[in-house]
Amino acid sequence: MKKPLYLLLFVFLLLNACSEQKQSNKHEREQILKTVYPQWVWLSSLYFLTDDLDAQDYAQQLQDLSKGISSQPPLPNTAQDLTQKATTLITENLEALARLGSGAQQAATNYAASERLLKRFEMLAGHMAISMGQAVLSRPPLNDIASSGALEEHMQSLLKLIQKYPVLKDAAIEVYAADSQNKLIAYSMRLNKARAYIAFNHSFDIHQMPLPFGFMTSTKVTLWRSSDTDVESYVTSSPIQIAPFEYVIVLVGV
């Protein structure tokens, strides 16, 4: 039985619209890379690797940067200076991670500090790969993180997830929560009917994952945690918890 012409036309227009949205988001990311990448990577490194940047301040700047708006004056050396600052911060912390993880220094306190710093790097690398596209992991200074053996298993799991779910690679971010007291930040991504909610816990305490207003309690979700890279799908019946120095990805409609 032949399908009506109007139905075929509708399907064509829908597929074309989806393709155009993906291309638009890809173009937008490419433009952002050209304009605000140095500030994006510097502020993100400062937020995730230190405690020197307030969550709400970072969230506001991140939202502006996601729209291509920079708070830095357009001076000739600004981009180079910010990239160099991010490189120095990342290099110093990678060296600290290597020292803490060496066999001679595996005391309990050093082990805890090493694990915490490793989780900070996981959050930074995960955030950059999701928010700006995984291609940024091959750009300085993030390429040093991506090539670190300590993060190999985590990055393989995350990149596999990104490849499987287009919403994580073809959509723009929208910050919807920032809690300075509890050191939480969360943003969403939307592509057609698929939605992704990504939350980062930058504190020593377990917190309830912030979700946008209107998120139903009984919702079928696909969930991935940075601390346990197995993917699980289930219908929620209680708030989702997020552990210290962990980030969580919740997918709906995929």
Side-chain angles (χ1 to χ4, degrees), residues 93-104:
N93 278 277
L94 282 174
E95 291 173 352
L97 182 63
R99 288 195 302 271
L100 289 168
S102 65

Side-chain angles (χ1 to χ4, degrees), residues 29 33 36-37 39-45 48 58 62 122-137 142 145 158 162 187 200:
R29 284 189 176 188
L33 276 174
V36 300
Y37 171 77
Q39 189 177 356
W40 193 310
V41 71
W42 161 240
L43 289 173
S44 298
S45 300
F48 287 111
Y58 174 63
L62 178 62
E122 289 176 351
M123 289 194 292
L124 172 60
H127 161 64
M128 294 301 296
I130 295 168
S131 64
M132 295 206 78
Q134 64 191 72
V136 300
L137 297 179
L142 295 175
I145 301 175
L158 174 64
I162 292 175
Y187 50 77
F200 300 83

Side-chain angles (χ1 to χ4, degrees), residues 79-103:
Q80 182 178 350
D81 291 345
L82 290 175
T83 302
Q84 183 56 53
K85 288 169 70 174
T87 300
T88 300
L89 181 60
I90 288 172
T91 300
E92 289 176 351
N93 278 277
L94 282 174
E95 291 173 352
L97 182 63
R99 288 195 302 271
L100 289 168
S102 65

Side-chain angles (χ1 to χ4, degrees), residues 59-85:
Q60 180 59 61
Q61 295 189 69
L62 178 62
Q63 188 61 46
D64 289 342
L65 290 172
S66 70
K67 301 181 185 302
I69 303 171
S70 173
S71 62
Q72 292 291 329
L75 300 176
N77 296 325
T78 298
Q80 182 178 350
D81 291 345
L82 290 175
T83 302
Q84 183 56 53
K85 288 169 70 174

Side-chain angles (χ1 to χ4, degrees), residues 178-193:
D179 184 335
S180 296
Q181 181 176 352
N182 293 319
K183 296 185 177 181
L184 295 170
I185 185 171
Y187 50 77
S188 62
M189 307 172 78
R190 181 185 294 269
L191 183 67
N192 305 323
K193 293 183 178 180

